[in-house]
Each structure stands twice: as structure tokens, then as C-alpha cells.
Amino acid sequence: MRIAVVLLTEGHTALAGTRIRYQRIAPQLRALGHSLDLVPISQFSAKLAPDHDLYLFSKCEDARSLVLARQLRLLGRHVGIDGFDDYFSQHQDSRHVRHREWLRAIAPYCDFFLTSTPRMREVFQTYMPSVRGHVLNDPFDDFDEEAIAELVDAKLQVARAERRITFAWFGVGDHPSFTVGLPDLSAHAPAFRILQRRGYEVRLRVLTNRRALTPGGLALLRRLDIPFTVDEWSLSAESAALTESLAAFIPVSAQPFSIAKSLNRSVTALTAGAQVLSPAYPLYEPLGDFIYNSADSLADDIRDGRLKASRPHMHVLAKTLGRWGNPAQEAGLLARFLKDLPPLSRDESEPWNKGRGGIIHGYVSPNVCSDLAKSMNHLSVTAPFGESRKTDDLRFIREPNGLQIRISPAGEACLAAGVKVKCVQFGERLARGGFQVALNDILPGNPLESYIAEHPLAATPLLSGYAEGISILREVLAQLTPGVVFFLSEKSAPFKEAPAQ
């Protein structure tokens, strides 16, 4: 079985999620006779025929994945998506409309999905109840019982002798939509003061992304009121910090985005020889007795010389981690799940871009989506309230006397026969082929004309009619180019004032 994990960019191969979830199980999959390749989505084109049995789109939440998912299913390939961040369950949050619409749009072309938690599986199943889902636990990298036991013994001895506890906090310190990261660290800083009252000197090493270190982010750190250092996160820095620290401090808030997270950070800390202090939401409850929920219990165990993750309990810890993150076990379970998918019929003689499709570019649409449409010989459409691209095949242009449509030769080839006749009769033939014609001349009384008249671009918030406008545009496109399946490309939440003209 040849598995392709499709990534948004080549740079995504270095992201923690890709490294932890896929690169750690790739050797175990090879041992089972399977392959797993990381493939940037930009590599796809009509000239490059698919050579994998199964395609998993990982964080590719734009129109390119919709186009490719449909094409791959037409060719008889299994298609799936992964979901590890919850942008989908907060239906009252308009900022994530595009994520929810993307999930609804890709669901019909998926025959499986992966998540890292049961919570995320529940979220996905509300959108695709008939699609099979699998929980892929984040696998650990390495676990050496004796080395970890020796390290914990040494750190415990220092903590007791010098009355000093060093913590590590590591991770992304900010988020564009949710209050997580450094705000969580600051909000749960009272745990440090409990340890100070118990007579311990507390130090903290913070490893995070540079973007989080704004004046506001640094102000949150200043409020900790304990000695701390801040460094940019790297894999080597994380390893060094966990090796030096008695414990990792990993507070978790109870918001939906946070409670859907995996066990990864705690597993990483425990396999590096650090205790875990995680106040607030019990995200790491599956790890049972190896997680400290309160600073007082950590102080008690230091006093008594009996840490949760220490030599006497190392064998039980190994079994617990093996249940929730053993790479060989996770690879085997994933392979079994994928092999049990119902077989699909294939027709290798057909060109893999045989099903003509297209992309509607909304208010904000990435150029890469247009590029993919062109590379797949699909149509690219400029909506009358979207960004205009001169290379698009169907361009709806607002004019004082109504809507004009500019049609490229590729667009002309997809026109309904009756529409093409009217283009010849009423339109202007362009120098490079195709036409420019008034929409009302080829589709008299079409609803898009009246919609545009009622929604002047400069004055009306798109929220008031965006969904209606897209629906009407789809109706018009179905009349112009019957049989072409269009997907919407919309990067922003379409709830902003249109730019002034």
C-alpha cells in the first residue's frame, strides 16, 4: 500500500504535526510492507499522474484539495483528510466559516479521515457521519527506561538538596483566533506561587515561536513574577530544556480548541525524563497517575522522594505510553484500518483530470488555487465581488449598464451550445480568442444581474448577501457551463466591509 500525505507546502514537512504523526511511523509502515510519502500539493498537475493508492490531505484547507480530491476519486483512489485542530465545532464563530465550508465540500469525496483524539473524531463525524474515522495517537520518538530513571533520580536529588524546581514551558505561544499559549501560562502562574510558599525557588525556561513575543506576549511573561528565560523554540532546545527541568508546565484551558488537542506535549515531556504539572482541564487524564494536577501534590512527592514518573514506576509508565503512543503499534493499527477500506474500481486508461471542474474565486482567493486550476485544465472564475484575475476563464465584470462576462478560449470550449450561439450573435470576439458579452444578452433575466444591482460592492458588507450571491452565481454557471463542477475558493471569512472604490 502506497500512502501519500499531501501537505500545503514543502515547508510543512518540518512542522511538528507532520514530524510527530507521520515521519515517526514511516519506518514502521515500511517494515510492514507499506510506504508513506510526504507530497506538497504544488506537485500535482495534469501531467503528473497519481502513483499512490491512497491520498491523505493534511491541513490543506483550500480549494486545491477539493479539486484534487474529486479527481482522485474519479480515478479510483482512496481519499482522506486529517483533523487535529478544532476549527469546526464553534458554529457561532464566523471567523471559521471557511473551515467549516471546506469540510462540508470535501466530505463527499472522502472515504476515511484521521484524528489524534476521540473528541476530534466526534467533531468530524457530525460533518461526515457515514465516513470511516480512525484515531491516530501521536507516537513518541524514543523511550529508554533506565536512562530516564537515572535522569529523574538526579533531578529529584537536586530539587530536594537545593530546594529549587526548574520548569519548562514549550509550544506555540499565540494563535490568531484563540486565547492559548502564553495566556494559558500566565493565567495558571499561581501554581508557581504555591511552590514558593512551600519553600522552593522556582525557575522557568520558556521556548516558543518568535511571533508570540510581542509587547503583549512579553507583558504576560513579566507577570509570572518568577525568574525565567525565553528562547525561540527548536527541537534541540526543547530536548535540552526537558533534560534540565524537573517538570514541564502544561496548563490546558477548557475551550473547545484546547480540549481537542492530543497527548503529545505530555508524552514528549515524560519520554524526556520530565514530570508533568498540568492544572485546569484534565486533557492528559488518559496518562493517569503520571500527571500532576496540582502544585501541592508535586511538592509533597518531592518532599517524600517519590515522583510519579520515576524509577519505581518506570515499567508501568512504559506500558502506559505504549498504549497511547507506541510508534509500531500506531503504524500497525493505521495500516489495518486503511487496508480494511472498501476497494474502489480503477480505470488507468483514463486521463486523471478527465472530470472537468473549476474554481470560483471569492472575496479573497490565493493565487495558488488559480494556478492549480490552470495546471489541471480546469476553469477559473472571477466572481463579481471577488479579486479579478486577467487569466481567469470566466470573468464577471461590473459595468454601469450591467454585468459583462469575459470568456477565454478554454471557457468557450465549455459553454452550452445555445450560450455559444448567443455569444457569437451578441458578443465581441477577443483578439486572443473567446468573447466579451453582456450577461443579460446570453442569459436574459438572470438572477445574478438583479443581485449585483442590490449589492453595490463599495457600500454593503459582504455578510448581508455573500452566501446568496455564491448560490446565485452557481446557478448562472450551471446554465453557462453545464456539467462543470465548481468549488469555491475563499480564504477569508466573508464578513468584512468591501474595500472602498
Side-chain angles (χ1 to χ4, degrees):
M1 181 168 51
R2 296 165 297 171
I3 305 167
V5 178
V6 184
L7 305 176
L8 193 63
T9 68
E10 191 163 355
H12 278 59
T13 58
L15 293 183
T18 306
R19 172 175 52 83
I20 293 168
R21 291 175 191 120
Y22 300 121
Q23 294 185 21
R24 286 182 181 173
I25 64 171
Q28 284 76 18
L29 286 170
R30 280 196 298 270
L32 296 171
H34 311 296
S35 66
L36 186 150
D37 300 311
L38 304 177
V39 183
I41 198 169
S42 59
Q43 289 189 8
F44 288 87
S45 72
K47 298 178 182 178
L48 182 63
D51 56 0
H52 291 78
D53 304 305
L54 183 147
Y55 290 81
L56 171 66
F57 289 93
S58 180
K59 294 190 175 182
C60 295
E61 295 167 4
D62 64 30
R64 291 176 296 172
S65 59
L66 304 177
V67 168
L68 293 173
R70 174 175 175 263
Q71 297 305 124
L72 290 165
R73 284 305 299 270
L74 288 173
L75 202 65
R77 299 298 198 272
H78 287 294
V79 173
I81 57 175
D82 68 12
F84 302 107
D85 293 321
D86 186 7
Y87 298 108
F88 309 101
S89 68
Q90 296 97 289
H91 297 282
Q92 75 285 359
D93 190 338
S94 65
R95 296 171 299 172
H96 300 292
V97 167
R98 69 181 182 92
H99 293 284
R100 297 192 291 272
E101 289 301 315
W102 170 84
L103 186 52
R104 292 187 184 98
I106 202 169
Y109 305 103
C110 292
D111 48 0
F112 75 96
F113 65 83
L114 301 183
T115 70
S116 59
T117 64
R119 166 63 184 166
M120 274 306 299
R121 180 171 60 187
E122 292 174 6
V123 171
F124 266 31
Q125 283 176 333
T126 63
Y127 288 84
M128 45 179 76
S130 62
V131 177
R132 299 186 182 195
H134 175 71
V135 176
L136 175 66
N137 294 305
D138 285 350
F140 57 76
D141 193 15
D142 188 30
F143 185 74
D144 186 328
E145 291 186 39
E146 181 56 31
I148 291 173
E150 289 183 3
L151 181 59
V152 171
D153 287 345
K155 291 194 282 190
L156 176 59
Q157 184 177 353
V158 170
R160 299 185 73 195
E162 301 182 10
R163 305 289 294 176
R164 184 179 75 244
I165 303 175
T166 301
F167 285 95
W169 186 93
F170 59 100
V172 177
D174 64 345
H175 193 282
S177 300
F178 304 106
T179 306
V180 294
L182 295 184
D184 282 337
L185 171 60
S186 179
H188 294 92
F192 300 136
R193 290 191 276 278
I194 291 173
L195 294 169
Q196 289 174 321
R197 288 196 295 268
R198 296 284 297 264
Y200 290 96
E201 176 191 354
V202 179
R203 297 179 181 178
L204 175 66
R205 183 170 179 184
V206 175
L207 298 174
T208 191
N209 53 313
R210 187 174 298 183
R211 184 189 64 197
L213 300 177
T214 62
L218 294 172
L220 289 172
L221 293 175
R222 290 287 295 173
R223 293 173 197 158
L224 296 176
D225 201 27
I226 59 171
F228 66 88
T229 62
V230 182
D231 292 290
E232 188 172 7
W233 181 92
S234 69
L235 196 56
S236 59
E238 176 186 288
S239 177
L242 291 173
T243 299
E244 296 165 5
S245 302
L246 177 76
F249 186 63
I250 315 177
V252 181
S253 64
Q255 61 183 306
F257 181 80
S258 298
I259 67 175
K261 287 293 188 179
S262 74
L263 307 178
N264 171 57
R265 287 209 292 167
S266 280
V267 169
T268 298
L270 291 169
T271 56
Q275 308 301 303
V276 174
L277 174 56
S278 180
Y281 185 81
L283 178 67
Y284 304 116
E285 194 171 38
L287 299 176
D289 293 337
F290 295 102
I291 304 297
Y292 287 98
N293 297 316
S294 74
D296 273 319
S297 60
L298 175 60
D300 290 343
D301 282 1
I302 294 173
R303 178 196 63 202
D304 298 337
R306 57 176 191 189
L307 293 174
K308 290 180 181 293
S310 60
R311 187 178 296 277
H313 313 295
M314 202 54 57
H315 188 57
V316 179
L317 176 60
K319 285 187 175 180
T320 301
L321 293 176
R323 178 184 176 190
W324 295 104
N326 182 286
Q329 174 178 282
E330 294 304 319
L333 292 173
L334 176 62
R336 188 183 312 162
F337 168 76
L338 296 176
K339 287 179 69 176
D340 286 343
L341 293 174
L344 301 174
S345 60
R346 292 190 182 183
D347 186 355
E348 303 289 357
S349 65
E350 290 279 2
W352 89 280
N353 62 328
K354 63 177 182 178
R356 198 67 185 263
I359 290 178
I360 300 169
H361 298 285
Y363 185 63
V364 176
S365 176
N367 288 329
V368 289
C369 292
S370 181
D371 295 341
L372 178 87
K374 292 293 185 184
S375 72
M376 294 293 295
N377 299 322
H378 281 29
L379 298 183
S380 202
V381 178
T382 295
F385 39 77
E387 297 179 88
S388 180
R389 294 171 172 82
K390 292 182 178 180
T391 58
D392 283 354
D393 300 297
L394 300 173
R395 294 169 58 200
F396 291 89
I397 305 168
R398 294 174 183 244
E399 297 287 356
N401 58 344
L403 275 178
Q404 293 279 315
I405 180 170
R406 198 174 182 91
I407 305 168
S408 75
E412 180 185 352
C414 296
L415 292 176
V419 170
K420 190 178 295 187
V421 169
K422 290 183 179 180
C423 285
V424 172
Q425 182 180 0
F426 298 107
E428 172 192 353
R429 173 64 74 172
L430 301 175
R432 296 185 178 182
F435 296 94
Q436 178 161 334
V437 63
L439 184 61
N440 255 336
D441 285 341
I442 55 176
L443 293 178
N446 70 86
L448 190 58
E449 201 79 46
S450 57
Y451 169 83
I452 293 301
E454 295 169 4
H455 294 80
L457 187 61
T460 306
L462 291 178
L463 172 61
S464 66
Y466 187 89
E468 180 190 6
I470 291 295
S471 177
I472 291 172
L473 178 59
R474 288 186 184 278
E475 291 178 24
V476 168
L477 289 173
Q479 296 177 63
L480 293 174
T481 57
V484 178
V485 176
F486 286 97
F487 297 101
L488 174 64
S489 174
E490 182 59 76
K491 187 175 181 180
S492 74
F495 307 133
K496 303 177 181 178
E497 289 282 347
Q501 299 294 305

